[in-house]
Amino acid sequence: MPRMTAARAAVEILKKEGVTHAFGVPGAAINPFYAALKASGGVRHTLARHVEGASHMAEGYTRTHPGNIGVCIGTSGPAGTDMITGLYSATGDSIPILCITGQAPTAVIHKEDFQAVDIASIAAPVTKKATTVLEAAQVPGVFQQAFHLMRSGRPGPVLIDLPIDVQLTEIEFDPDTYEPLPVYKPAATRAQVEKAVALLNASQRPLIVAGGGVINADASDLLVEFAELTGTPVIPTLMGWGAIADDHELNAGMVGLQTSHRYGNATFLESDFVLGIGNRWANRHTGKLDTYTEGRTFVHVDIEPTQLGKIFAPDYGIASDAKAALELFVEVARELKAKGELPDRADWAASAQDRKARLQRRTHFDNVPIKPQRVYEEMNRAFGPETRYVTTIGLSQIAGAQMLHVYKPRHWINCGQAGPLGWTIPAALGVATADPQATVVALSGDYDFQFMLEELAVGAQHNIPYVHVLVNNAYLGLIRQAQRNFDIDFQVNLEFENVNTPEIGVYGVDHVKVAEGLGCKAIRVTEPDQLLPAFEEAKKLAAEFRVPVVVEAILERITNIAMSGSDIASVNEFEELATEPGHAPTAIRQLAV
């Protein structure tokens, strides 16, 4: 039987499980693992500047392609606690990432040794499993179980904590005969799907709500086929955006309090039946549940049985992986269509597209300073259907989701449930690492951008090009807008006069100098007509220099983006709406007036 250190066995298992890339920061307590990583070869490593950044890079990497599992590595103590935000983000959005931490020797873990912390207990609430391995012989089994857990049921992250003496201990392990454990995913039955389809057929105005579970299951093609067979319009959630192309005749738009379309909310409020697949009825999607549920029958399909009825009780629930369920939904629908037993939904689908053409927000403004809506209009012109957008939270994300267009799954990569500021830069680096040929475009407000901007140096060092659109109003815009309800404008102002860059006035941080100082390229735009040329130049610079390129748009200081505090039936439209085609020239449908 081959003998090797437990650390080397762990690295060999990573490779057997399909891992080809890892992100991390070495340190004393994890150095034996890094030594094994170098000696074994086959796993490319990207050195982050911050361990939280490494965890978000792993998230972006996972989210880019079906089957990817991002790996992040750190030493003992603060490295693990730094990665808690990434684990929380991953668990909230059902994203499998593996976090590997070093630990003090087993004999002193509980003696307040340097950087010895019970990271397994800290991480337990935000992982599927967190384990400190105390016996070297258990390392192969713990890693094998980790991949099984990450892939089975509702996907999610796992943390493995390795004391330094455990890493160094030799064990017997044969990589050649190692096999991953079978993955478990619940699957709908034919009878369950037949009942759900019968409920859909009995309705007059049905909708499908497609969540992130559809994308996680790589089931978008099946979703579209089922929608087309039954003629049912589809509402993608924010995490499910891209499961059906924005320009598809059955895409009815997004619903919600913030990242929603006027036409999406209007169509949902006209519906009488909703089939939710792989979604969790997030509160910013539903708003007040009495408005959301009144007059509608609900069927909910989710991979996690305890998710059924968690937010509200559906009329019928099915515990199933989205792909397994949709395979049966398509099978049943094909049979019913062949028999002529599917209702004609043409008028209902056409009404959704009519709303799409009539209920639009204005994007075309010539104001200086620039209004944010114009930024997204020009992004629609500059970046095509192959673009992978990456963003997290803020008015920039909300407005972007209202006005940008997404055409494919995994082309809107968004941290939905946790929404940590600083997520965007490292996640975009993870996405660009996973798909180096793609056009990756990140979107940040100035505060999100400043949280982890040191990670731009990772892109410069490792030649990871992408375009970062930075909308700068020197304000915590989303919080300022929320503070209107309290009649305050308090501790949300970021403006100051930069003594080194007086030409930018009160916009404070010189992001161009910062980006250039970190080895990247940057362009500042102050007028709307400069946006499109800047985006085109950014693409050329990214291709030429193979580094991140920042395009900073100097915005008006205060803009209120359309949203509601509680109810999808009462979204506040703060800006002038589109009343003629020139007001929304890049809308999916030509404005009907």
Side-chain angles (χ1 to χ4, degrees), residues 331-395:
E331 179 181 300
V332 171
R334 284 174 178 169
E335 293 173 7
L336 292 174
K337 188 176 183 69
K339 296 177 184 177
E341 295 179 4
L342 288 177
D344 185 350
R345 306 286 188 196
D347 290 345
W348 167 237
S351 74
Q353 293 305 305
D354 175 66
R355 294 182 196 91
K356 201 169 190 174
R358 289 187 294 103
L359 303 177
Q360 296 180 12
R361 296 185 174 106
R362 181 171 180 173
T363 61
H364 194 79
F365 296 92
D366 292 324
N367 303 50
V368 178
I370 301 167
K371 292 186 78 66
Q373 293 86 348
R374 180 66 181 271
V375 177
Y376 310 114
E377 176 184 309
E378 299 301 339
M379 287 175 70
N380 285 331
R381 288 193 173 98
F383 304 113
E386 301 299 322
T387 303
R388 293 188 187 268
Y389 288 112
V390 186
T391 189
T392 179
I393 192 62
L395 285 185

Side-chain angles (χ1 to χ4, degrees), residues 2-16 30-43 136 139-140 143 162 166-175:
R3 288 185 64 80
M4 62 187 69
T5 65
R8 179 62 180 265
V11 171
E12 296 301 327
I13 290 173
L14 292 183
K15 294 193 293 186
K16 284 287 189 176
I30 196 64
N31 273 340
F33 184 89
Y34 270 89
L37 202 64
K38 180 180 180 181
S40 177
V43 178
V139 167
F143 272 80
L162 299 173
V166 169
Q167 297 174 57
L168 289 167
T169 299
E170 284 199 347
I171 61 173
E172 294 181 342
F173 177 69
D174 184 3

Side-chain angles (χ1 to χ4, degrees), residues 183-420:
V183 174
Y184 168 73
K185 293 182 179 180
T189 67
R190 170 84 184 205
Q192 289 173 326
V193 169
E194 286 177 345
K195 180 167 183 174
V197 173
L199 290 168
L200 183 150
N201 284 347
S203 67
Q204 300 298 311
R205 299 176 303 282
L207 291 174
I208 299 169
V209 170
V214 173
I215 292 177
N216 281 351
D218 196 25
S220 298
D221 289 346
L222 289 167
L223 168 80
V224 173
E225 184 176 0
F226 178 68
E228 290 173 344
L229 285 166
T230 59
T232 307
V234 177
I235 299 282
T237 68
L238 184 66
M239 299 305 297
W241 196 11
I244 183 169
D246 273 4
D247 60 354
H248 192 285
E249 61 184 5
L250 290 173
N251 184 312
M254 285 193 287
V255 167
L257 302 178
Q258 296 179 340
T259 54
S260 63
H261 300 109
R262 294 180 65 212
Y263 48 85
N265 282 2
T267 293
F268 185 90
L269 292 169
E270 291 292 324
S271 68
D272 64 358
F273 173 89
V274 177
L275 168 61
I277 305 177
N279 65 304
R280 59 183 180 87
W281 311 116
N283 63 301
R284 292 190 177 188
H285 167 79
T286 64
K288 285 184 178 178
L289 291 176
D290 53 356
T291 300
Y292 190 85
T293 60
E294 185 179 6
R296 293 171 196 90
T297 299
F298 285 85
V299 172
H300 190 196
V301 179
D302 197 271
I303 196 168
E304 173 52 51
T306 62
Q307 198 73 20
L308 303 173
K310 188 173 188 178
I311 309 301
F312 62 85
D315 296 275
Y316 189 59
I318 301 173
S320 178
D321 168 69
K323 188 169 191 175
L326 280 164
E327 286 172 345
L328 281 176
F329 273 104
V330 167
E331 179 181 300
V332 171
R334 284 174 178 169
E335 293 173 7
L336 292 174
K337 188 176 183 69
K339 296 177 184 177
E341 295 179 4
L342 288 177
D344 185 350
R345 306 286 188 196
D347 290 345
W348 167 237
S351 74
Q353 293 305 305
D354 175 66
R355 294 182 196 91
K356 201 169 190 174
R358 289 187 294 103
L359 303 177
Q360 296 180 12
R361 296 185 174 106
R362 181 171 180 173
T363 61
H364 194 79
F365 296 92
D366 292 324
N367 303 50
V368 178
I370 301 167
K371 292 186 78 66
Q373 293 86 348
R374 180 66 181 271
V375 177
Y376 310 114
E377 176 184 309
E378 299 301 339
M379 287 175 70
N380 285 331
R381 288 193 173 98
F383 304 113
E386 301 299 322
T387 303
R388 293 188 187 268
Y389 288 112
V390 186
T391 189
T392 179
I393 192 62
L395 285 185
S396 54
Q397 175 245 22
I398 292 167
Q402 291 177 8
M403 297 166 196
L404 293 175
H405 307 317
V406 176
Y407 299 88
K408 295 183 177 183
R410 302 179 188 271
H411 282 57
W412 174 260
I413 296 175
N414 188 106
C415 178
Q417 204 273 349

